[in-house]
Amino acid sequence: MTDQAVDTSGPAKAAGTEGPSSTVPPQFFGRDRELKELRADIERAGLDTLAGRKAARARVLLIAGRPGSGRTALAGELTRRLLSTGDHPDGLFRARLTDPGGAPVPTERTARELLDQLGVTGPPGADGDELSEMVREALTERRALLLLDDAVDAEQVDPLLPDNPDCLVVATSEGPLTGIPGVRPCTIGGLDAGSAVRLLARIIGQVRITVDPRTAETLAEECAGLPAALVMVGGWLAAHPMASVADVTKQLRELPDDTEQSTGARPLARAFRLVHDSLPSTAARILRLLALAPAGLADAHTASALAGCSVSAAQTTLDDFVALGLLRTNGADQPQYEVPGCLAPLLRALLADRDRPTEIQLARARMLERTVRLLQSCRAVTDPKGSPARGKLAGLPRSLRFPNPDAAAEWLRIHRPALLASARLAVEDGELDTLARRLVAALVRALAVHQGTEAAAPELYGLHGLVLAVAERRGLPRERAAALLNLADLDARTGRTQEALTRYRAALDAGRAAKDPYATGRAMESVGGAYAELGDFQRASDWYGRALAQRLTQGERADEARLYGRLGAVHTYAGRYGEALRNWRAAAAGYRRLGDVPAQARALSEAARVQEYAGRPQESLHTCQEAVEWARRAGDVRLQAALELRLADTLDRLGDSAAARLHRGLADRLLGEEGAACEIRSAVSEN
């Protein structure tokens, strides 16, 4: 195969950095024939396309090859060149379809990742079908590229294909994607000898190639031309400047083949074993433990916790791994390191072979504990100075502290995929449930404080689902009730009222099993709210009444007043005005005893509305005047203005238009004064 290429970004650092020859900027070269074929395939008429008519869906270009062959690098170079033409001005969106553990990524997760890149928020709790439809809809009017990396089968790709021929999908996989019409795979293998030797020269310099060019070609053959193997062997040579190309070729030949590997995968496995076995024992152990890194992503803290070493030592070791082609890095100020997908199964097998299960579990526990502490620090830095949380934060090691809330928010944004993966893996593990619960709780709090509960709702939904899984596995009814309530609230907020009702009822059962009065009361009230949303006011009033009875026995006055108001509202909707009026009066009395004057005014205004509905305008007028007075005492100008307008409407219906005009004028003046006050406060705050 000729004109083949590789992206050498694996072991390379960012352009402009100093270091050995193995840290030169990334470069892509060769593969010209494959790139030409792929470009030509874009214009080729599909089998399902009528002459002179565009296809109904986006064209799919498939690059097929075994792990380590450079298929992802080729896809990246193709999309880069396509973007440079201007034919796809809406940019590139990409997602990986296989977890580092080898499991297919669920469509729901892939679709959410793409929606985030598209700037679209998927509703919490939505399934894969709904979210993939949102992806297709978001791409309907765009001329964009979609890169779907490491697809397992067509079922992963097909739901995401845009119904828009102006979009183009580039997919990579190990084999064909049977089931998607019109896809002709571009199958790649190892690099030809010339390209492979140029790659080695790029990493180790031309001198060692020039003195023995034939051996360099032999080394390329030993690596089967696989770019990933060549990069690791080149990294090893760069780290051993006294070794010759012949030395490393001999060592590779002497390594026994792993008979559990397929024939085509053995060269990559041999190259990996060569590099691993040449590492100092501590570094080799850190490398193996990176198989535990969530989503294949690690940073210095992750490696430090896994190995039980200092953060600075872990950082140096990770940078050494990048130079050896064992990791990729984003080169950011807070660098993250990624285990290449082709090496992940080799790392897992070596970890299982070389390390004891107890040591592996201890390393996993250390990693989770470190993550919990970082998340607690991330949240605590947002608390006021002098608060207990900030006091605890001051006692943490400097490496676990954030200088300010902005730095903490940025850390959370960068590490969010790894943190969410860490939570999923901790729950799936099943042996560290206490740590898993602490991790999920800390992540929920950090997301809520930095993103807000509305913006973080999709992530929170998944996290509450993890809490529910642990609670059900461990038989923890209190935690089960809390998780069900949180999930049901999110369901209700997104319009899935029937699903919310089912979960609220389950939460009620769990709360009763835990003998938790708060959970049971909250669940009963929420069941009532769900029935009210569904328009079943009889059942709503029944459940609100049950919740109120429980609150009355416990003397929870604020909850009592609120529930009286809820009952007043559903009785109003049902046209039972007598019951509604009694409950709104009870709510107003409750708020008066609590000293909550604005709430008392609002309750009285609702009572006035009920009296008006009941055909008692004079009583409504009197109650509304009472509400206005309480709003004035509370200093709530907006509420007072709103009540003045309601009072004016009532006077109009009573035929007193002059008095109505006076109250409308008063409302206008109140709102004008409020607006002026807001402008003054805004100007003061800006200065």
Side-chain angles (χ1 to χ4, degrees):
M1 194 174 281
T2 60
D3 295 328
Q4 300 183 28
V6 66
D7 179 351
T8 61
S9 60
K13 291 183 180 178
T17 59
E18 297 180 358
S21 58
S22 62
T23 61
V24 290
Q27 181 182 9
F28 191 95
F29 54 92
R31 294 275 195 220
D32 290 339
R33 181 172 61 81
E34 287 82 357
L35 285 166
K36 288 177 182 177
E37 288 180 357
L38 288 164
R39 292 292 296 269
D41 200 36
I42 298 173
E43 306 301 329
R44 181 176 61 88
L47 298 175
D48 58 344
T49 306
L50 298 176
R53 183 180 301 174
K54 280 190 174 183
R57 306 178 80 186
R59 164 80 68 186
V60 180
L61 300 182
L62 174 61
I63 300 172
R66 68 174 61 258
S69 63
R71 62 194 183 193
T72 301
L74 178 56
E77 178 65 10
L78 174 64
T79 55
R80 186 191 68 78
R81 294 189 184 190
L82 291 172
L83 286 173
S84 68
T85 65
D87 291 338
H88 298 89
D90 292 310
L92 171 67
F93 307 94
R94 61 188 303 163
R96 184 177 175 84
L97 303 187
T98 303
D99 274 334
V105 176
T107 302
E108 176 191 340
R109 264 173 44 205
T110 303
R112 282 199 185 281
E113 183 180 350
L114 291 170
L115 287 171
D116 284 345
Q117 296 174 42
L118 288 159
V120 178
T121 301
D127 60 17
D129 290 341
E130 182 179 351
L131 293 171
S132 58
E133 183 179 351
M134 291 181 67
V135 171
R136 296 194 302 273
E137 183 178 347
L139 291 169
T140 300
E141 301 298 327
R142 305 193 194 211
R143 294 165 60 195
L145 291 170
L146 192 61
L147 200 166
L148 302 176
D149 191 21
D150 203 8
V152 175
D153 52 36
E155 284 69 24
Q156 283 186 296
V157 174
D158 189 68
L160 302 169
L161 296 183
D163 300 318
N164 176 8
D166 291 328
C167 288
L168 178 68
V169 177
V170 179
T172 72
S173 72
E174 193 163 352
L177 296 179
T178 306
I180 300 178
V183 177
R184 183 176 61 184
C186 174
T187 304
I188 63 172
L191 297 172
D192 66 278
S195 297
V197 171
R198 290 198 299 274
L199 171 57
L200 285 171
R202 172 76 173 169
I203 299 171
I204 67 175
Q206 188 63 44
V207 174
R208 279 195 276 184
I209 300 295
T210 302
V211 298
D212 196 355
R214 280 296 187 78
T215 306
E217 292 181 4
T218 303
L219 176 57
E221 291 177 8
E222 286 295 322
C223 294
L226 293 175
L230 289 163
V231 166
M232 284 189 288
V233 172
W236 185 93
L237 281 167
H240 297 79
M242 301 307 293
S244 68
V245 175
D247 292 333
V248 75
T249 304
K250 180 182 177 183
Q251 291 188 47
L252 272 177
R253 281 178 173 169
E254 291 175 350
L255 283 173
D257 274 329
D258 184 352
T259 56
E260 294 185 3
Q261 298 282 345
S262 65
T263 303
R266 290 175 187 176
L268 179 65
R270 280 203 308 272
F272 173 72
R273 288 290 296 274
L274 169 74
V275 177
H276 171 271
D277 292 350
S278 69
L279 294 171
S281 60
T282 301
R285 180 170 172 269
I286 292 176
L287 178 63
R288 294 193 301 272
L289 289 171
L290 289 178
L292 305 176
L297 300 171
D299 60 7
H301 276 290
T302 305
S304 164
L306 284 169
C309 65
S310 68
V311 175
S312 59
Q315 182 74 66
T316 301
T317 303
L318 292 174
D319 288 334
D320 290 342
F321 291 162
V322 173
L324 287 167
L326 297 167
L327 296 178
R328 300 190 186 100
T329 181
N330 57 6
D333 293 335
Q334 300 181 38
Q336 270 195 307
Y337 300 84
E338 181 183 7
V339 177
C342 61
L343 299 186
L346 300 175
L347 275 179
R348 290 195 304 275
L350 203 55
L351 179 67
D353 182 59
R354 300 282 185 92
D355 297 87
R356 293 195 298 251
T358 53
E359 293 176 343
I360 296 172
Q361 196 69 323
L362 179 59
R364 184 180 280 114
R366 285 196 303 264
M367 179 181 66
L368 293 178
E369 181 62 41
R370 177 72 61 87
T371 306
V372 169
R373 296 178 75 187
L374 281 166
L375 284 167
Q376 290 172 339
S377 174
C378 179
R379 188 205 60 78
V381 75
T382 63
D383 283 3
K385 291 182 179 179
S387 65
R390 290 294 287 267
K392 291 181 180 178
L393 181 61
L396 291 175
R398 184 177 297 275
S399 62
L400 295 178
R401 300 200 302 263
F402 295 95
N404 52 60
D406 288 342
E410 180 65 7
W411 175 86
L412 184 64
R413 184 190 66 79
I414 292 171
H415 290 80
R416 186 180 67 169
L419 291 168
L420 293 170
S422 182
R424 288 193 299 268
L425 292 171
V427 171
E428 289 170 8
D429 178 79
E431 297 183 9
L432 297 169
D433 279 346
T434 299
L435 265 174
R437 289 160 60 200
R438 290 178 58 215
L439 172 62
V440 173
L443 183 51
V444 165
R445 295 188 186 105
L447 287 170
V449 75
H450 284 289
Q451 293 183 212
T453 53
E454 287 294 330
E459 289 88 355
L460 297 179
Y461 195 95
L463 292 170
H464 293 316
L466 294 177
V467 173
L468 179 60
V470 175
E472 291 179 338
R473 182 165 64 216
R474 294 291 182 179
L476 304 170
R478 188 185 300 271
E479 285 81 355
R480 182 171 184 268
L484 285 166
L485 286 169
N486 287 323
L487 288 167
D489 287 344
L490 290 169
D491 282 331
R493 205 176 301 164
T494 51
R496 295 191 300 274
T497 309
Q498 195 60 56
E499 291 88 341
L501 178 59
T502 301
R503 282 200 162 114
Y504 284 136
R505 298 293 293 261
L508 178 59
D509 293 338
R512 285 169 173 165
K515 298 181 179 178
D516 184 342
Y518 170 79
T520 54
R522 163 99 146 72
M524 285 190 288
E525 182 174 348
S526 298
V527 169
Y531 276 124
E533 185 67 25
L534 292 170
D536 191 340
F537 301 121
Q538 181 58 50
R539 283 194 174 93
S541 62
D542 177 51
W543 282 100
Y544 281 146
R546 297 185 196 189
L548 175 60
Q550 184 200 56
R551 295 294 196 272
L552 289 170
T553 61
Q554 295 172 350
E556 297 173 354
R557 291 186 174 181
D559 292 327
E560 292 170 19
R562 185 186 66 254
L563 283 163
Y564 275 124
R566 294 280 180 94
L567 280 165
V570 294
H571 284 309
T572 302
Y573 293 141
R576 295 189 291 269
Y577 299 130
E579 289 290 328
L581 185 58
R582 280 192 291 274
N583 280 286
W584 280 119
R585 286 289 187 186
Y591 287 127
R592 184 180 67 249
R593 288 191 293 270
L594 291 167
D596 189 344
V597 179
Q600 180 186 353
R602 292 188 185 92
L604 286 170
S605 73
E606 293 301 325
R609 187 198 302 272
V610 172
Q611 288 170 327
E612 185 176 337
Y613 291 161
R616 295 151 62 180
Q618 288 292 348
E619 293 179 23
S620 175
L621 179 65
H622 176 74
T623 305
C624 198
Q625 288 171 334
E626 186 182 356
V628 168
E629 176 59 22
W630 284 112
R632 187 190 63 78
R633 293 185 189 182
D636 192 330
V637 176
R638 290 184 179 277
L639 176 60
Q640 185 182 351
L643 290 171
E644 291 285 0
L645 290 173
R646 180 175 296 174
L647 196 57
D649 290 341
T650 303
L651 288 165
D652 270 336
R653 280 186 283 274
L654 289 171
D656 193 344
S657 57
R661 283 195 299 272
L662 288 173
H663 285 284
R664 285 198 178 89
L666 179 57
D668 290 340
R669 287 195 298 275
L670 287 169
L671 291 173
E673 291 170 4
E674 175 68 8
C678 287
E679 289 179 7
I680 292 171
R681 285 195 294 270
S682 176
V684 169
S685 64
E686 288 175 359
N687 294 325

